[in-house]
Every structure is written in C-alpha cells, then in structure tokens.
Amino acid sequence: MNSLKHLPAPKPIDDFEAWLVMFTQPTVLVELLVLALSVALAWGLVAALRRTLGMHEERSIWFGKRVIDGVLFPLALLCLGYLSLELLSNFVPVAVLRIAIPVLMSLVVIRVGVKVLQATFAESHWVKPLEQTISWVAWLAMVLWVSGLLPVILNELDLITWKVGGTTLSVRTLLEGLITAGAVLIITLWISAGIESRLLRSAKGGELSLRKAVSNAARALLMFVGLMLALSAVGIDLTALSVLGGAVGVGIGFGLQKLAANYVSGFVILAERSMRIGDVVRVENFEGTITEINARYTVVRSLTGRESIVPNEMLITQRVENLSLADTRVNQTISVSVGYESDVEQVMKLLREAALSQVRVLHDPAPAVNLANFGADGLEFTLSYWINDLENGQGNLRSDINLAILRALRTHGIDIPYPQRVVHTR
C-alpha cells in the first residue's frame, strides 16, 4: 500500500479539442458502420439461440422476455465491440469504439445485477432501489473512466487512511472491497437461482417439496460462502468471527430456541415429505391447502381465501390431519329422514341417484345408502359417497346433493317429517 502512494497520479483527459478532431475524422463513419454491424450480429446470434433453446421466460437471466432483455445480448455486443476495437486500432485511429466499450461494460454490469435480483427476489420491495443504485454506480464509473478522472480519484481516495487494530484501511480499499463483495454476492445469487430453476422446472407433488428443500439449502450454503468471501475481500479477519459465532450459539441456546426449532422442523418436513405443497391439512380446526413450505413457517390457504401462517414446529410436535397423504379419496355422509309410510327401496334408490348426479362423486367405490335408525319422527337414512378432489370444497358439493335429494323426494311425494310432540294438559 505504501508503494501505491508514491505512484504519480494519472492526468485526466482534458484536451477536448483533440477529441472533437478525432470525432470529425472520416474514419468515424467506418467505426459507426462496424458498431452497427456488431449490434446486428449480436441480435441475430441471441435470437438464433432463443429459437434453438426455446428460451422465452421473462425471469430468464441470460435471455429475458425479449432478445435485448437478458444479459446475453449486451455481453455478446461487448465481445464483438472489443474485437472490432482491437482489429480497427491496427489500421485507423479509433474514437467511437473507445467510448462504446465502457458504455457496454456498464450496461452488462447493470443488466447482470438487475436480472439476478429480479430472478431471486421477485416480490421484494427493496429490489427496485437496489437496482437503481447499481445503475447509478455503473454509469458514474463509466463517465469517470471515459473522462480519465477515475484513476485520479482512486489515487486520492487511497491517501485517506485510518487504522483499525493492526490493519490500515483506506477509502479506496473499502470501496473496492464493497464492490468485490457485491459482485461475489451477485454471482452466488445467480448460481443459486440457476440451481433452483433447474430443480423446480419439472417437479410435481412430493418431489416439488424435496427439490425446494435442496434449492433452499443450496442457496443458504452459497450465500454463506459468498458472505465469507465478501468479508475477506473487504479486509475483515475471519478468525475474529469465532467470538461472534460463540455468541450466536449462546443466543440460540437461551433466547432463540423456538426460531431454531422452526428452522430445523422446516427442513425435516421438506426432507421426509410428510406434508407436501398441495396437500389438504387440518391444523387446530383450520383446514386448507398447503401453498408454501418455507424454512421457518408453512402457509395454509383455506377455500374461503384466508391464509394461516403455521410455525413449522407446530406441524412436527402437534397432531395434524393430512387428508391427502396416502389417498386423495375422502368419504362424506349425509343424513336424511323420511316418513314411516315411505317406500324404503324407492328412498334408497333416489338417494343413490342424487349422489351420482354430481360429477365429482366417484362411481368406484359407489355411493352407499343405509337405513341407520328408526327415529322418533321417521326413518333415518345415511348416504355415503366418495370424492377425490377435496381442494374444490366440501360444503358446495354437499349443498348440491342435498338440493338434488330434496327435489327427488318432492317429485315422488315422499314426506320429510317434522318433529312431533304430544303435550298433555290437566
């Protein structure tokens, strides 16, 4: 670091007349033509790859929704522009391409940061300000680079130092460490997003839950490794984190038992697949479909639209009814009373036909009707039937069958008795 302080600071490019003269040369037209050809060639290459690979997903980092949306188009254009710069500089003075290369590099940096954040944290509100910050930093670095002020500013920042323990830090070292840390984290997020996309692309049912667990574990591991590399790049001694790790362990042991238990329970649920995304469960009288299984909690959505956030520890330590675990078929019953003078065989036939009139009722096993009781007011029948689409609701089907039973009994003149009581007076 001391040797860097004695290096002469480079001078900024302030001869604007020379720049204007370069841009008025006839060779500028050649550069513009070469740049236009590079744009067309990059567009054609990316379009051909999109058609060949069938990549039209909006969240795709490489391709995006359109040809120019992803990272691949500016990256291909940067490579072609740099190749054109190297070739033309051997024959003619180059001006336009020397400006275009920093601009394209800034565009690649912005596109990588924005697309990775959008693919990884699609619904987070803080992503938009972070994207704008990346854009401003990249364009500012490009302007400073083109104007020749970037080396001067970096050398000046290198002169501002302070001592932290046994290490001497400068503003330049801190900024370079932060940029390196950001780049490392972006790359780790990119890798984790690619792993998650590949794992979840064709997963269904229980396999979806297991692959979700693997992708979450891979992301956590990559983020941890990236964080360690980022801290090392900033200049922080990682051995000092051992004290922090001990403090965190004590905190988990005393104050974060529930939080740790929920995280461990989440990975147990995902690993053993006792509950999967799409299962219909009942937890403490709340019944619904599992829509998300996260590391700390599980989201259960009822048919009324309400969502319950259930801590994963509760799903491990308490009784949970999983209505979809072994068999998706569910049995339902309806009780009906008719008068004693009714034809029993006819009533049983009408009840069975009312159930079969609904397309959701299974024919195998077939609906069953039983004479359950000789009630005080009439004969009590029980209609039992099976369904295999519990996620579509139970009350709506029960209502439709009850309406069909009521219409059939009224059509055939079968009486539904009222409660009868005899009151004696003296």
Side-chain angles (χ1 to χ4, degrees):
M1 183 175 297
N2 294 329
S3 60
L4 292 175
K5 295 179 181 180
H6 297 91
L7 292 176
K11 302 297 183 181
I13 299 175
D14 53 1
D15 191 357
F16 294 104
E17 293 183 1
W19 277 77
L20 290 176
V21 171
M22 292 181 64
F23 276 95
T24 56
Q25 296 294 323
T27 55
V28 170
L29 298 177
V30 178
E31 293 186 67
L32 292 175
L33 178 60
V34 170
L35 186 59
L37 291 176
S38 300
V39 172
L41 182 57
W43 191 92
L45 289 174
V46 176
L49 283 175
R50 283 170 60 87
R51 286 193 301 268
T52 303
L53 302 177
M55 300 296 295
H56 301 283
E57 299 179 5
E58 185 175 358
R59 294 184 61 185
S60 173
I61 297 176
W62 281 108
F63 293 92
K65 187 177 182 180
R66 297 177 298 175
V67 174
I68 61 174
D69 285 344
V71 175
L72 191 57
F73 175 74
L75 183 61
L77 184 55
L78 174 62
C79 295
L80 292 174
Y82 186 78
L83 181 61
S84 302
L85 173 64
E86 292 294 323
L87 293 176
L88 283 180
S89 60
N90 296 324
F91 304 99
V92 297
V94 179
V96 176
L97 290 176
R98 292 190 184 277
I99 302 296
I101 296 302
V103 172
L104 292 176
M105 291 183 66
S106 300
L107 183 59
V108 170
V109 171
I110 294 171
R111 189 63 58 81
V112 169
V114 169
K115 296 299 291 185
V116 170
L117 291 175
Q118 287 178 351
T120 310
F121 308 103
E123 300 178 357
S124 299
H125 300 289
W126 53 267
V127 171
K128 196 67 176 179
L130 189 56
E131 293 174 359
Q132 295 175 352
T133 302
I134 294 175
S135 301
W136 279 104
V137 171
W139 288 125
L140 179 61
M142 183 274 297
V143 172
L144 294 176
W145 185 4
V146 171
S147 63
L149 294 175
L150 184 60
V152 177
I153 294 177
L154 289 178
N155 277 273
E156 293 297 328
L157 293 177
D158 200 23
L159 299 177
I160 306 174
T161 61
W162 66 92
K163 198 168 185 179
V164 179
T167 305
T168 301
L169 298 178
S170 66
V171 177
R172 175 177 178 174
T173 304
L174 183 61
L175 290 177
E176 291 177 348
L178 290 176
I179 293 174
T180 304
V184 170
L185 291 178
I186 289 294
I187 292 174
T188 55
L189 288 175
W190 191 349
I191 296 174
S192 65
I195 293 175
E196 182 175 1
S197 175
R198 183 172 294 274
L199 286 176
L200 303 182
R201 183 176 301 168
S202 59
K204 296 180 181 179
E207 188 180 2
L208 175 63
S209 300
L210 183 59
R211 293 193 178 190
K212 184 70 174 177
V214 174
S215 65
N216 288 341
R219 173 175 296 182
L221 179 61
L222 288 172
M223 288 293 292
F224 177 76
V225 174
L227 180 61
M228 293 298 101
L229 293 176
L231 292 176
S232 177
V234 174
I236 297 177
D237 188 5
L238 298 183
T239 57
L241 296 179
S242 58
V243 179
L244 178 62
V248 172
V250 173
I252 292 176
F254 286 97
L256 302 178
Q257 299 100 324
K258 291 293 184 181
L259 184 62
N262 285 322
Y263 276 102
V264 173
S265 300
F267 282 104
V268 169
I269 292 172
L270 290 170
E272 68 181 12
R273 291 186 286 179
S274 57
M275 279 167 282
R276 301 156 296 185
I277 296 176
D279 284 358
V280 180
V281 298
R282 184 181 292 113
V283 184
E284 289 190 344
N285 297 325
F286 187 90
E287 182 177 323
T289 305
I290 296 178
T291 57
E292 294 181 36
I293 301 179
N294 297 308
R296 186 181 63 84
Y297 62 89
T298 296
V299 179
V300 181
R301 181 180 178 86
S302 69
L303 295 175
T304 60
R306 294 183 303 158
E307 289 186 340
S308 177
I309 299 177
V310 184
N312 287 330
E313 184 190 14
M314 182 181 296
L315 301 178
I316 294 293
T317 59
Q318 297 187 12
R319 178 177 177 269
V320 178
E321 293 185 42
N322 191 337
L323 306 181
S324 308
L325 180 59
D327 194 346
T328 58
R329 297 182 302 177
V330 177
N331 182 264
Q332 291 184 328
T333 59
I334 295 177
S335 298
V336 180
S337 296
V338 299
Y340 274 99
E341 70 281 0
S342 304
D343 186 346
V344 173
E345 297 296 333
Q346 185 183 28
V347 171
M348 297 177 68
K349 178 183 177 182
L350 293 176
L351 295 181
R352 192 177 297 108
E353 291 176 351
L356 292 174
S357 65
Q358 305 299 317
V359 295
R360 293 179 55 191
V361 175
L362 299 179
H363 290 250
D364 184 20
V369 181
N370 299 294
L371 178 58
N373 288 302
F374 296 96
D377 305 311
L379 299 174
E380 297 180 359
F381 291 87
T382 299
L383 170 64
S384 176
Y385 56 90
W386 292 83
I387 62 174
N388 63 354
D389 56 347
L390 190 61
E391 66 277 3
N392 292 327
Q394 304 180 64
N396 52 356
L397 178 61
R398 191 185 301 274
S399 174
D400 293 339
I401 295 177
N402 283 334
L403 291 174
I405 291 173
L406 183 61
R407 286 193 297 265
L409 295 181
R410 287 179 175 177
T411 300
H412 292 82
I414 298 176
D415 179 50
I416 300 177
Y418 295 97
Q420 301 177 6
R421 300 292 181 269
V422 178
V423 180
H424 299 276
T425 60
R426 294 183 181 179

